[in-house]
Amino acid sequence: MSAEERRESVVRAALIEFARGGYHGTSTEAIARRVGVSQPYLFRLFPGKQAIFAAAAERCVEETWRVFDEASAGLSGQEAAEAMSGAYLSLVEDRDQLMMQMQLYVSVFSARAAGEEEIGETARRLWEGLFDRVRIRIGGDMADATQFFAYGMLINTLVALGYPQDHRLWSGFGEHEGHGEHGGHVGHSEPEESGKAE
Amino acid sequence: MSAEERRESVVRAALIEFARGGYHGTSTEAIARRVGVSQPYLFRLFPGKQAIFAAAAERCVEETWRVFDEASAGLSGQEAAEAMSGAYLSLVEDRDQLMMQMQLYVSVFSARAAGEEEIGETARRLWEGLFDRVRIRIGGDMADATQFFAYGMLINTLVALGYPQDHRLWSGFGEHEGHGEHGGHVGHSEPEESGKAE
DNA sequence: CAAGATAGTGATTGGCCACTAACTTGGAAC
DNA sequence: GTTCCAAGTTAGTGGCCAATCACTATCTTG
């Protein structure tokens, strides 16, 4: 297998491992095992662990855009937003994609706290790239795009916390008055009674 | 200083350190240094690192509710939601609070991937407690509470990524048609032109 | 003051981990 | 069939880190 092909398989394996363990919680040994090569060989293909993480992060965001793009091909405005919402919800099944995103965000903060700015610059470039492409696709409005991503981040959180999709916490994603951005009617959305605890 | 007082200061220090480094990226040595005690002494006060993390997580969520509760005392419905939105945005200044939340969420996923369920159960209990208290406060509607938390999670993400509050990405938090939940008009919110890139 | 409890430290250890260096193997070119 | 190179391995190193153990010092109480 050529070095380039190996690098590709390393990125795929790294995405899964980093998604599950986070940067510090993932050993290069674990990545190598998943790829099926020896651990030191990773350092021939990449200059270090950080570079592998950055590559996995970039791949993750690109992949997310690919999913959005395919789902909303030929659509725009409200229709595109709904199509992309549905597509994002289908990613919930494949949690690694979603969790790699979150791992990237917290890693940026940790790296910055430790004095490293590189990964942060990469992450912001990726985030803005995705944000603007989505924004254009759904009509260009800043507030609409912000809402879209807000629900996306909540989805990430619920997945991280391990809530199954039929849990009551997923029931609040229904259409919301005039402009139901997200939703795709997740789980059962029976109306909620309003005073139950506290 | 009594053991109980020490435990309290350990929790405060741990919250800061874990917020910045994540679970695996924070050494007990760093926590002990911040507290001003020797590292082995932490293991007299807590059974292990995990217990310190759990205590910090619990403290973090409780503190968040305290902020919400104070900000919205005596209010309800839309007014309470706006008050709490504003309060949350003030937390952006004190990033450790916000980041400890995210570190908790990703740690739950990582722990679960490693076969540990305990922290996940704790985290879900904390999340649902906060969610429901907020929900009741703003009127009990599930969709409204979901929207509130969705914007909250996006705020966490933007903070993690290191965007200053006057960055254009914060401009989408304005009032959104009929029921402007979140917002508190962050930064400058000039209208956005709609076709600029891609 | 004797005696126990409580707060706290220094030294250590066993294990993991990122990364390096030196070696091996298989195929293509001539 | 030898040379060469790219793919890949085995062995090893220095550093860090959670947790343990044995110990000291300072109160408290009768």
Side-chain angles (χ1 to χ4, degrees):
Chain A
M1 192 178 287
S2 82
E4 208 43 64
E5 288 169 318
R6 267 302 183 215
R7 253 185 286 267
E8 167 64 24
S9 57
V10 169
V11 170
R12 276 202 304 270
L15 195 151
I16 293 172
E17 292 296 332
F18 281 128
R20 298 182 186 176
Y23 182 74
H24 291 288
T26 299
S27 66
T28 54
E29 172 67 34
I31 297 169
R33 205 178 314 124
R34 182 172 289 275
V35 177
V37 297
S38 65
Q39 179 262 347
Y41 188 50
L42 297 184
F43 295 86
R44 294 256 161 133
L45 301 170
F46 294 88
K49 189 184 180 184
Q50 290 234 18
I52 302 178
F53 185 80
E58 187 138 14
R59 165 65 48 93
C60 172
V61 176
E62 270 169 19
E63 184 66 18
T64 301
W65 167 247
R66 208 184 55 75
V67 168
F68 283 159
D69 190 35
E70 275 186 13
S72 66
L75 303 176
S76 67
Q78 180 68 21
E79 286 176 338
E82 281 169 18
M84 291 194 283
S85 297
Y88 199 70
L89 283 161
S90 75
L91 276 182
V92 170
E93 301 301 317
D94 149 39
R95 301 158 174 195
D96 297 321
Q97 193 78 18
L98 266 39
M99 291 310 301
M100 182 68 212
Q101 278 186 45
M102 291 200 83
Q103 299 286 7
L104 173 60
Y105 308 145
V106 304
S107 295
V108 166
F109 188 82
S110 296
R112 169 171 257 203
E116 299 156 25
E117 288 289 340
E118 281 179 49
I119 184 74
E121 283 157 22
T122 301
R124 284 188 288 274
R125 174 173 56 76
L126 294 170
W127 176 270
E128 289 177 53
L130 183 64
F131 184 89
D132 284 329
R133 279 179 286 184
V134 166
R135 182 170 62 87
I136 304 296
R137 183 63 58 95
I138 67 179
D141 186 66
M142 205 66 179
D144 287 341
T146 299
Q147 188 177 55
F148 183 91
F149 277 86
Y151 278 96
M153 295 304 101
L154 179 57
I155 288 171
N156 289 355
T157 304
L158 295 182
V159 167
L161 284 170
Y163 286 111
Q165 264 184 291
D166 59 355
H167 190 277
R168 70 181 177 98
L169 284 179
W170 288 96
S171 72
F173 283 86
E175 322 277 320
H176 213 275
E177 263 109 296
H179 49 82
E181 285 298 342
H182 263 266
H185 25 75
V186 191
H188 55 98
S189 58
E190 69 243 8
E192 201 65 21
E193 84 282 15
S194 61
K196 91 187 299 186
E198 170 88 342
Chain B
M1 190 178 287
S2 81
E4 208 44 63
E5 289 169 317
R6 269 297 184 219
R7 252 184 287 267
E8 167 63 25
S9 57
V10 169
V11 170
R12 275 202 303 270
L15 195 151
I16 293 172
E17 292 295 332
F18 281 129
R20 297 181 184 175
Y23 182 75
H24 291 287
T26 299
S27 66
T28 55
E29 173 67 36
I31 297 169
R33 206 179 312 125
R34 181 172 290 274
V35 176
V37 297
S38 65
Q39 178 261 349
Y41 189 50
L42 297 184
F43 294 86
R44 295 254 160 141
L45 301 170
F46 293 87
K49 189 185 182 185
Q50 289 233 19
I52 302 178
F53 185 81
E58 188 137 14
R59 166 64 47 94
C60 172
V61 176
E62 271 169 16
E63 184 64 19
T64 301
W65 168 248
R66 208 184 56 75
V67 168
F68 283 158
D69 190 36
E70 276 185 13
S72 65
L75 303 176
S76 67
Q78 179 69 21
E79 287 177 337
E82 281 168 18
M84 290 194 284
S85 296
Y88 199 70
L89 283 161
S90 75
L91 276 183
V92 170
E93 302 300 317
D94 148 39
R95 301 158 174 197
D96 296 321
Q97 193 78 18
L98 266 40
M99 290 311 300
M100 181 68 211
Q101 278 187 45
M102 290 199 84
Q103 300 286 7
L104 173 60
Y105 307 145
V106 303
S107 295
V108 166
F109 189 82
S110 296
R112 169 170 259 208
E116 299 156 25
E117 288 290 340
E118 282 180 49
I119 184 73
E121 283 157 22
T122 302
R124 284 188 287 274
R125 175 174 54 78
L126 293 170
W127 175 270
E128 288 177 54
L130 183 63
F131 184 90
D132 284 330
R133 281 180 285 184
V134 166
R135 182 171 63 87
I136 305 295
R137 185 62 59 95
I138 67 180
D141 186 66
M142 206 66 181
D144 287 342
T146 299
Q147 188 177 54
F148 183 92
F149 278 86
Y151 278 96
M153 293 306 99
L154 178 56
I155 289 171
N156 289 355
T157 304
L158 294 182
V159 167
L161 285 170
Y163 286 110
Q165 265 185 291
D166 59 355
H167 190 279
R168 71 182 177 98
L169 283 180
W170 288 96
S171 72
F173 283 86
E175 322 278 323
H176 211 274
E177 262 110 293
H179 49 83
E181 285 298 340
H182 263 265
H185 25 77
V186 190
H188 55 95
S189 59
E190 71 244 5
E192 201 65 20
E193 83 284 13
S194 59
K196 89 189 302 187
E198 169 89 342

